[in-house]
């Protein structure tokens, strides 16, 4: 007879981060992740397979006590601003290329890397690789929630066998890895854990509707997606998408509908992100990396608008990894407080937009652009309309002038 232990289905949606660890820990592979009406994945249990062991609930990081302190614990945390000396790597990285140097150093020493990549359909997944070609795939921010299913098991298998591996993920994915592995394996010298300064998780379904909308508009399948393209400068938050027919889409952050809905308007973030319990320093990762926003007020000599990494070294393993690649980077010591000045989400989550639920439920059933027009703010989508009308008017006037037609 089955017992009455709680399962992952007893975890409120408001707390679930979608880390997908519960499926990996399930001994019967009874857990899958359908998309809910709010455009995010949530666990679902096949009760014909479930044995009610309760492990999924017991291991769930959302059910553990994580007091959201919203502060920096101690002033002795070692922090740096850093950029690689390889300008090609830095140009193709989200910030300063610090992650690439760390991952490359470990791979050259025989390690594997587990990180987010694009699959053949340009959706975001986590995967494991062990060469520098794979590191290039994990480079750059990917602004949609990654599918993590199966990767906790892969990491555990490698660490248990004494193999070296670098794991990169969101703070909630790192918390899930910690719970899955347990302290002994998690603290193994063969595992280096990196998380990042997280704005919040964007809906994979909204992202998919965005790229499929562009494929229809440009009449071609997408070849590559590149968020944080720096051709207009690091601060421009550029988005570039290459299509198989040779066409290209490029917009800066304030003019791209998806980035407006995600970053500017906070319409498509997971509910748990708006009450994230991991907004504190230090994290349980070995190091936390991110963009060093506000560098112009901290160290102007490092401000060239080509990208700079902010690095919080949370543990001795992180400090050792930094010293191993120090010869390949330019860096300066800073403080967690200085990093937090330009990255407010280090200590507190981004507030939810009042139209968030309306946006996500409409996106579940309606065309992408209809929902964008309905819910995006004046400073976001309406700015796109204004700019488009202005450019059209300017082009019409130019044509009239060349043809000698009076207004």
């Amino acid at each position: 007879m089955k017992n009455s232990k709680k399962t992952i289905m007893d975890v409120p949606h408001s707390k679930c981060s979608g880390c997908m660890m519960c499926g990996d820990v399930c001994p019967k592979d009874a857990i899958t992740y359908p998309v809910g009406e709010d455009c995010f994945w949530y666990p679902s249990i096949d009760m014909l397979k479930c044995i009610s062991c309760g492990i999924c609930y017991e291991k769930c990081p959302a059910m553990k006590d994580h007091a959201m302190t919203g502060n920096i614990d101690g002033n002795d945390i070692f922090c740096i601003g850093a950029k690689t000396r390889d300008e090609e790597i830095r140009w193709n990285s989200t910030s300063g290329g610090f992650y690439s140097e760390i991952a490359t150093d470990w791979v050259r020493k025989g390690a594997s890397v587990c990180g987010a990549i694009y699959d053949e359909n340009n959706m975001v997944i986590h995967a494991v690789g062990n060469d520098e070609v794979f590191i290039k795939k994990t480079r750059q921010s990917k602004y949609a929630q990654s599918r993590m299913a199966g990767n906790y098991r892969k990491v555990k298998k490698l660490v248990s066998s004494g193999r070296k591996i670098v794991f990169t993920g969101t703070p909630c994915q790192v918390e899930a890895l910690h719970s899955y592995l347990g302290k002994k394996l998690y603290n193994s010298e063969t595992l280096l854990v990196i998380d990042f300064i997280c704005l919040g998780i964007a809906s994979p379904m909204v992202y998919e509707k965005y790229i499929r909308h562009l494929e229809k508009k440009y009449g071609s399948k997408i070849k590559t997606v590149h968020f944080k393209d720096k051709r207009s400068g690091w601060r421009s938050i550029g988005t570039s998408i290459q299509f198989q027919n040779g066409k290209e889409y490029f917009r800066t952050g304030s003019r791209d509908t998806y980035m407006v809905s995600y970053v500017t308007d906070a319409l498509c973030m997971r509910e748990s992100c708006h009450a994230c319990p991991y907004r504190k320093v230090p994290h349980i990762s070995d190091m936390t990396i991110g963009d060093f926003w506000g560098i112009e007020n901290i160290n102007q000599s490092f401000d060239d608008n080509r990208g700079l990494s902010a690095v919080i070294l949370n543990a001795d393993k992180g400090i050792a990894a930094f010293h191993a690649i120090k010869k390949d980077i330019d860096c300066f010591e800073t403080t967690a407080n200085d990093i937090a000045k330009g990255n407010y989400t280090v200590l507190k989550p981004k507030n939810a937009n009042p139209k968030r639920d309306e946006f996500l439920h409409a996106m579940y059933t309606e065309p992408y652009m209809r929902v964008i027009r309905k819910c995006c703010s004046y400073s976001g989508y309406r700015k796109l309309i204004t700019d488009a009308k202005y450019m059209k008017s300017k082009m019409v006037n130019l044509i009239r002038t060349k043809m000698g037609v009076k207004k």
Side-chain angles (χ1 to χ4, degrees), residues 77-210:
I77 303 166
F78 187 30
C79 302
I80 59 169
K83 59 182 180 180
T84 175
R85 291 174 180 166
D86 187 322
E87 285 301 317
E88 182 180 356
I89 290 177
R90 183 159 74 116
W91 184 253
N92 289 297
S93 298
T94 295
S95 47
F98 182 83
Y99 157 77
S100 290
E101 293 292 357
I102 291 287
T104 299
D105 180 63
W106 273 60
V107 163
R108 288 175 179 173
K109 294 173 181 175
S112 296
V113 172
C114 181
I117 66 170
Y118 293 109
D119 68 10
E120 64 276 9
N121 296 311
N122 292 294
M123 296 301 291
V124 185
I125 62 170
H126 257 68
V128 176
N130 57 11
D131 58 32
E132 293 182 42
V133 174
F134 184 78
I135 291 172
K136 290 181 180 179
K137 293 180 180 180
T138 61
R139 191 182 293 156
Q140 302 168 358
S141 293
K142 298 167 181 71
Y143 292 118
Q145 183 162 21
S146 63
R147 180 170 282 277
M148 275 289 296
N151 284 281
Y152 300 100
R153 290 178 179 176
K154 292 176 183 177
V155 173
K156 184 175 183 177
K157 183 176 180 180
L158 287 167
V159 177
S160 297
S161 65
R163 295 282 302 279
K164 298 182 73 172
I165 183 167
V166 179
F167 176 87
T168 60
T170 63
C172 52
Q173 289 169 342
V174 167
E175 292 281 350
L177 181 67
H178 180 267
S179 181
Y180 182 83
L181 294 179
K183 286 184 179 180
K184 184 176 180 179
L185 284 180
Y186 184 85
N187 291 326
S188 168
E189 289 300 315
T190 64
L191 173 65
L192 181 71
V193 180
I194 304 173
D195 66 1
F196 52 84
I197 299 169
C198 185
L199 179 69
I201 297 168
S203 162
M205 182 177 172
V206 175
Y207 164 74
E208 183 174 21
K209 293 190 79 167
Y210 160 72

Side-chain angles (χ1 to χ4, degrees), residues 104-396:
T104 299
D105 180 63
W106 273 60
V107 163
R108 288 175 179 173
K109 294 173 181 175
S112 296
V113 172
C114 181
I117 66 170
Y118 293 109
D119 68 10
E120 64 276 9
N121 296 311
N122 292 294
M123 296 301 291
V124 185
I125 62 170
H126 257 68
V128 176
N130 57 11
D131 58 32
E132 293 182 42
V133 174
F134 184 78
I135 291 172
K136 290 181 180 179
K137 293 180 180 180
T138 61
R139 191 182 293 156
Q140 302 168 358
S141 293
K142 298 167 181 71
Y143 292 118
Q145 183 162 21
S146 63
R147 180 170 282 277
M148 275 289 296
N151 284 281
Y152 300 100
R153 290 178 179 176
K154 292 176 183 177
V155 173
K156 184 175 183 177
K157 183 176 180 180
L158 287 167
V159 177
S160 297
S161 65
R163 295 282 302 279
K164 298 182 73 172
I165 183 167
V166 179
F167 176 87
T168 60
T170 63
C172 52
Q173 289 169 342
V174 167
E175 292 281 350
L177 181 67
H178 180 267
S179 181
Y180 182 83
L181 294 179
K183 286 184 179 180
K184 184 176 180 179
L185 284 180
Y186 184 85
N187 291 326
S188 168
E189 289 300 315
T190 64
L191 173 65
L192 181 71
V193 180
I194 304 173
D195 66 1
F196 52 84
I197 299 169
C198 185
L199 179 69
I201 297 168
S203 162
M205 182 177 172
V206 175
Y207 164 74
E208 183 174 21
K209 293 190 79 167
Y210 160 72
I211 61 174
R212 302 301 169 233
H213 159 74
L214 288 177
E215 286 180 335
K216 183 177 180 180
K217 181 177 179 180
Y218 282 77
S220 175
K221 289 287 186 180
I222 289 172
K223 185 179 179 181
T224 59
V225 178
H226 183 179
F227 290 112
K228 298 292 282 291
D229 183 304
K230 297 175 182 176
R231 72 182 69 177
S232 295
W234 171 49
R235 291 181 176 86
S236 71
I237 318 291
T239 298
S240 116
I241 296 177
Q242 303 287 337
F243 295 87
Q244 291 180 7
N245 63 5
K247 294 181 180 179
E248 182 193 32
Y249 167 92
F250 175 77
R251 298 288 187 279
T252 54
S254 62
R255 290 171 173 78
D256 176 73
T257 56
Y258 180 70
M259 292 301 284
V260 167
S261 68
Y262 167 51
V263 178
T264 307
D265 289 353
L267 285 164
C268 60
M269 287 185 192
R270 198 174 183 102
E271 184 178 3
S272 61
C273 297
H274 298 297
C276 174
Y278 314 121
R279 309 285 178 172
K280 55 188 175 184
V281 176
H283 289 190
I284 65 165
S285 62
D286 296 309
M287 61 176 69
T288 301
I289 59 177
D291 292 278
F292 207 135
W293 300 126
I295 185 58
E296 66 276 12
N297 301 314
I298 305 298
N299 189 334
Q300 291 184 1
S301 67
F302 273 76
D303 180 25
D304 60 3
N305 201 23
R306 291 174 64 88
L308 185 71
S309 299
V311 184
I312 302 172
L313 298 163
N314 303 307
D316 289 342
K317 278 192 291 181
I319 294 173
F322 155 65
H323 282 296
I325 57 103
K326 193 173 181 180
K327 65 182 184 304
D328 300 313
I329 64 173
D330 293 319
C331 64
F332 65 94
E333 288 192 33
T334 186
T335 67
N337 281 309
D338 280 345
I339 291 172
K341 286 176 184 177
N343 288 280
Y344 71 90
T345 56
V346 167
L347 299 178
K348 63 179 182 179
K350 192 173 178 70
N351 293 330
N353 190 308
K355 291 186 177 181
R356 175 191 175 275
D357 291 347
E358 177 188 355
F359 176 85
L360 291 172
H361 285 90
M363 192 64 76
Y364 189 74
T365 57
E366 298 178 30
Y368 175 78
M369 285 306 299
R370 182 186 298 173
V371 184
I372 292 292
R373 293 187 185 103
K374 182 190 299 184
C375 297
C376 276
S377 70
Y378 177 82
S379 62
Y381 178 68
R382 297 185 191 282
K383 180 176 175 57
L384 302 176
I385 298 175
T386 302
D387 289 349
K389 287 181 177 178
Y390 170 75
M391 291 305 295
K392 183 177 180 180
S393 173
K394 190 173 181 180
M395 184 62 69
V396 168

